[in-house]
Amino acid sequence: MPCGEDWLSQPLGIVQGFFAQNGVNSDWEKKVIEYFKEKLKENNAPKWVPSLNEVPLHYLKPNSFVKFRCMIQDMFDPEFYMGVYETVNRNTKTRVLHFGKYRDVAECGPQQEVDVNSPRTTTLERQTFYCVPVPGESTWVKEAYVNANQARVSPSTSYTPSRHKRSYEDDEDMDLQPNKQKDQHAGARQAGSVGGLQWCGEPKRLETEASTGQQLNSLNLSSPFDLNFPLPGENGPACLVKVYEDWDCFKVNDILELYGILSVDPVLSILNNDERDASSLLDPMECTDTAEEQRVHSPPASLVPRIHVVLAQKLQHINPLLPACLNKEESKTCKFVSGFMSELSPVRAELLGFLTHALLGDSLAAEYLILHLISTVYTRRDVLPLGKFTVNLSGCPRNSTFTEHLYRIIQHLVPASFRLQMTLENMNHLKFIPHKDYTANRLVSGLLQLPSNTSLVIDETLLEQGQLDTPGVHNVAALSNLITWQKVDYDFSYHQMEFPCNINVLITSEGRSLLPADCQIHLQPQLIPPNMEEYMNSLLSTVLPSVLNKFRIYLTLLRFLDYSISDEITKAVEDDFVEMRKNDPQSITADDLHQLLIVARFLSLSAGQTTLSRERWLRAKQLESLRRTRLQQQKCVNGNEL
């Protein structure tokens, strides 16, 4: 263990120490943040912090120091809380000053009550994010984070549950506790909710148990609470994240790594139910809205825990095999990065061979797949996203498992991905676009609410004849907008709000795709395996894990390389383009030049070269010529199919 356990198991005690030493008017809050920053620099200390991504919630000790890797799915309105408040002992009249930061529930002893009229009370503001695990995160990423983490759930650790079963006495105590709290602090609770803190009359904490029955009872619902994950089948906790500093620099769909104090106090659920009961005295229409919003914004802590953020970092990527920060300046001096760049050429050659096998012996398609997988939007010129490289892989066998297995290969290479099966039923019934629910005052997620650098594989080989209804037409339009403009227009009922994105889209189809694409490459299999599943499984099993990890580092790292074109090469490219226009004025357009420059860009980066050379420019022209010739041949064979 790199340092004492107190800061992990009892971080509020550390905060209390700084608060007591420095008083109200000093910079005690900055000292708290600096303390935890320094602690996390010691001997791989982050690996000792238990993660909500890996450790079940009921194994984590309430008010312990935790971390969470997540995406901001929604941002709620800022809330007020009691930054500092005063309690009075009913017997001795002794006054004690407390801090409210990093807490949902005010600390009061048995004989204490909160003086809501104290002149020393200060009201502050904090922002609440609704965060979910990173959508589409690959299994290998999850496993790598689990293996790297030193925080193990065992009887000796501070966040092991104290018990799994309650005795009859405990059950009785659980039943009586809410009534005690109601009786003791009925008056203070109303004032406490205004300040963002709930008053708790007893210092004793009730254990949080993630029982489905309890969740449904506390929500007073007949169906499970919707955790609002963008993609179907996602697992992991959703969290209400309370941010105290610099929340303006975060936005919806950002990926964050958070360090903070876990709050799972069941008092939150009890009091929220009481508030709903009280709201029944209000106007019925107002009551409905209030209850629905309350249900969404204050779910049971056993289902949606709270994290009070001490430190938050926006992640550029979620590849656990690379340093977290790959800023251009830092990456130049990073020994790991420079060491990997020196052996880039053999890694590329091996990856090309691997993808050639995955694409049934088609090495040209494998070249374009590499360029696609390292492509990224590097800037926007007006509304045009530069660097996007959507590939349509046509010629895929219809109703075959080929696309499914190709997607599985891609899953093993990229940190986050999703395969959209483009069936009529899915297109007509799935929710692609996030929309604002004004009744619950929340953003309801859709399939296209994805973080940057997600690989989206659209399987068009499953599309059958039939009619798209109105939602289906809107979904196709949403996909087209995503591909063309790298943006998704979220539905806010009275208007649409544009959310820029950076999502790699690969479309597999039999003929030319119905969707727009930057580049179409027609698959020409050199072999047809009798059993596709056995073939792909054997391909994966023959690759050493160490080699697979090199592929994963390669595909993530090259996205962050800088790139430029010298004046000399720019002049040579211009002259070359003029010559090409002379020879074939009908078929060579400005769009073709743009396409050539994109192919040349990613071809250079795929070789670890951050500037365009004459050799790479000629190779880009050669690849494009081969691709175009193949499409022309296919068109001649199949008439107007392409």
Side-chain angles (χ1 to χ4, degrees):
M1 193 64 188
C3 40
E5 266 194 27
D6 282 348
W7 69 280
L8 284 175
S9 60
Q10 296 177 325
L12 287 176
I14 303 292
V15 179
Q16 175 63 45
F18 282 104
F19 179 73
Q21 287 172 20
N22 295 278
V24 181
N25 298 319
S26 66
D27 55 353
W28 68 273
E29 294 167 279
K30 291 180 182 176
K31 291 183 179 180
V32 167
I33 294 170
E34 284 304 314
Y35 173 87
F36 284 102
K37 272 185 183 175
E38 290 304 313
K39 280 294 181 188
L40 289 170
K41 289 177 184 175
E42 296 178 7
N43 298 332
N44 292 322
K47 294 181 179 180
W48 291 93
V49 181
S51 170
L52 263 75
N53 300 92
E54 290 124 34
V55 181
L57 181 60
H58 59 277
Y59 275 83
L60 293 169
K61 181 182 174 184
N63 296 325
S64 61
F65 197 70
V66 297
K67 63 184 176 185
F68 186 38
R69 188 177 63 260
C70 58
M71 183 189 82
I72 301 176
Q73 190 275 321
D74 197 4
M75 291 179 166
F76 295 158
D77 295 329
E79 68 179 26
F80 294 103
Y81 72 99
M82 295 292 190
V84 175
Y85 61 94
E86 198 170 36
T87 57
V88 182
N89 189 297
R90 286 194 293 270
N91 297 331
T92 64
K93 304 302 179 186
T94 307
R95 290 179 172 270
V96 181
L97 212 56
H98 302 265
F99 66 92
K101 194 174 184 180
Y102 308 126
R103 283 177 170 157
D104 288 305
V105 179
E107 293 288 338
C108 303
Q111 301 302 320
Q112 289 180 320
E113 60 184 20
V114 175
D115 181 2
V116 293
N117 298 314
S118 169
R120 303 174 76 184
T121 299
T122 60
T123 302
L124 300 174
E125 194 179 39
R126 62 190 176 197
Q127 178 70 53
T128 303
F129 299 157
Y130 187 85
C131 293
V132 297
V134 180
E137 190 176 69
S138 298
T139 304
W140 66 267
V141 173
K142 297 181 195 294
E143 289 174 352
Y145 276 112
V146 169
N147 293 335
N149 207 349
Q150 301 295 320
R152 294 284 180 261
V153 179
S154 64
S156 62
T157 54
S158 60
Y159 48 93
T160 303
S162 55
R163 64 179 189 275
H164 292 288
K165 294 183 180 178
R166 296 199 306 263
S167 65
Y168 289 116
E169 290 81 8
D170 291 329
D171 281 334
E172 186 178 0
D173 188 50
M174 285 288 281
D175 292 336
L176 291 174
Q177 194 70 17
N179 293 325
K180 286 183 192 174
Q181 289 158 350
K182 287 181 200 174
D183 295 341
Q184 286 181 346
H185 295 290
R189 185 180 307 130
Q190 186 176 359
S193 63
V194 173
L197 289 176
Q198 308 288 2
W199 309 133
C200 172
E202 299 290 340
K204 176 181 178 182
R205 286 287 175 268
L206 310 179
E207 186 185 4
T208 301
E209 297 195 5
S211 156
T212 306
Q214 281 182 315
Q215 292 162 11
L216 296 184
N217 287 338
S218 59
L219 282 167
N220 207 11
L221 294 173
S222 57
S223 60
F225 181 74
D226 177 17
L227 291 176
N228 218 8
F229 294 142
L231 299 179
E234 293 281 291
N235 296 316
C239 287
L240 285 177
V241 172
K242 314 277 186 172
V243 184
Y244 294 86
E245 283 92 19
D246 301 326
W247 59 71
D248 290 342
C249 65
F250 301 120
K251 60 184 185 297
V252 170
N253 302 338
D254 278 349
I255 299 178
L256 307 181
E257 184 172 53
L258 308 171
Y259 289 89
I261 297 168
L262 177 67
S263 174
V264 286
D265 206 305
V267 172
L268 297 171
S269 304
I270 295 164
L271 294 174
N272 289 335
N273 276 339
D274 294 342
E275 287 173 14
R276 279 197 288 273
D277 294 340
S279 70
S280 62
L281 302 172
L282 304 174
D283 176 74
M285 289 302 292
E286 187 180 337
C287 169
T288 303
D289 292 349
T290 304
E292 180 63 16
E293 188 170 340
Q294 183 76 26
R295 181 182 80 91
V296 167
H297 288 247
S298 300
S302 57
L303 184 64
V304 182
R306 281 68 164 161
I307 297 179
H308 293 267
V309 174
V310 178
L311 298 167
Q313 177 187 8
K314 193 186 298 187
L315 293 180
Q316 292 179 299
H317 65 87
I318 55 167
N319 190 331
L321 306 172
L322 278 165
C325 189
L326 286 174
N327 285 332
K328 296 186 173 54
E329 288 306 313
E330 291 189 31
S331 64
K332 287 175 185 174
T333 57
C334 177
K335 288 182 181 178
F336 177 88
V337 172
S338 57
F340 186 83
M341 292 299 291
S342 66
E343 58 176 47
L344 202 70
S345 184
V347 174
R348 188 195 194 281
E350 282 189 272
L351 178 59
L352 181 62
F354 176 70
L355 291 179
T356 299
H357 286 299
L359 292 167
L360 310 179
D362 189 340
S363 59
L364 182 63
E367 284 274 11
Y368 275 91
L369 186 53
I370 288 178
L371 305 187
H372 162 75
L373 290 173
I374 65 170
S375 66
T376 186
V377 176
Y378 59 89
T379 191
R380 291 177 187 267
R381 188 165 296 158
D382 296 326
V383 295
L384 188 65
L386 301 182
K388 72 184 183 73
F389 193 58
T390 298
V391 169
N392 172 206
L393 184 65
S394 59
C396 297
R398 183 172 175 76
N399 295 325
S400 160
T401 58
F402 169 73
T403 297
E404 181 185 341
H405 291 297
L406 177 62
Y407 171 65
R408 200 153 61 88
I409 297 286
I410 291 172
Q411 269 187 310
H412 278 80
L413 298 175
V414 299
S417 61
F418 179 64
R419 173 179 170 235
L420 174 59
Q421 300 177 55
M422 203 172 170
T423 63
L424 270 178
E425 183 180 0
N426 283 347
M427 298 306 292
N428 286 333
H429 295 103
L430 290 178
K431 301 290 185 187
F432 282 30
I433 300 292
H435 70 275
K436 180 76 172 182
D437 179 348
Y438 287 96
T439 305
N441 191 20
R442 73 161 173 175
L443 182 66
V444 179
S445 63
L447 286 181
L448 297 184
Q449 188 176 6
L450 299 170
S452 286
N453 301 321
T454 302
S455 287
L456 177 62
V457 177
I458 301 175
D459 187 354
E460 210 178 281
T461 65
L462 302 171
L463 194 60
E464 64 277 7
Q465 287 187 338
Q467 188 70 37
L468 285 173
D469 57 21
T470 304
V473 172
H474 287 161
N475 283 338
V476 171
L479 286 176
S480 297
N481 275 336
L482 167 66
I483 292 166
T484 305
W485 307 111
Q486 283 293 312
K487 70 183 179 75
V488 180
D489 294 324
Y490 290 16
D491 181 8
F492 280 71
S493 295
Y494 311 106
H495 66 284
Q496 290 186 326
M497 191 174 290
E498 185 179 294
F499 282 76
C501 56
N502 184 5
I503 294 170
N504 274 18
V505 183
L506 174 68
I507 309 163
T508 60
S509 60
E510 188 182 16
R512 184 173 182 171
S513 172
L514 302 172
L515 297 167
D518 299 305
C519 171
Q520 181 191 355
I521 175 79
H522 196 81
L523 186 68
Q524 283 189 350
Q526 304 301 304
L527 63 127
I528 303 294
N531 187 315
M532 191 70 72
E533 186 171 3
E534 282 184 13
Y535 175 79
M536 293 293 192
N537 284 342
S538 65
L539 176 60
L540 276 171
S541 63
T542 53
V543 182
L544 292 171
S546 59
V547 174
L548 207 51
N549 281 344
K550 286 181 180 179
F551 294 166
R552 292 160 176 167
I553 294 168
Y554 173 91
L555 293 174
T556 301
L557 181 60
L558 295 188
R559 288 167 171 262
F560 295 95
L561 292 183
D562 212 347
Y563 177 82
S564 61
I565 304 179
S566 67
D567 292 341
E568 182 186 349
I569 293 295
T570 301
K571 181 71 170 62
V573 166
E574 287 174 356
D575 294 343
D576 213 352
F577 179 64
V578 170
E579 197 64 34
M580 290 159 66
R581 288 276 293 167
K582 282 181 184 175
N583 295 335
D584 193 356
Q586 298 301 316
S587 61
I588 304 297
T589 65
D591 287 341
D592 295 317
L593 175 62
H594 177 73
Q595 168 90 342
L596 266 172
L597 287 169
I598 288 288
V599 170
R601 177 191 183 92
F602 293 119
L603 195 59
S604 300
L605 290 174
S606 74
Q609 297 178 1
T610 55
T611 186
L612 180 60
S613 64
R614 181 72 182 165
E615 180 193 357
R616 294 293 160 192
W617 171 250
L618 293 175
R619 175 62 175 157
K621 285 174 62 179
Q622 182 188 20
L623 286 178
E624 279 293 275
S625 174
L626 290 170
R627 183 183 68 83
R628 286 168 173 274
T629 302
R630 185 181 288 190
L631 286 179
Q632 283 300 117
Q633 290 171 348
Q634 191 64 28
K635 193 171 184 178
C636 293
V637 171
N638 293 337
N640 295 323
E641 183 189 348
L642 299 171

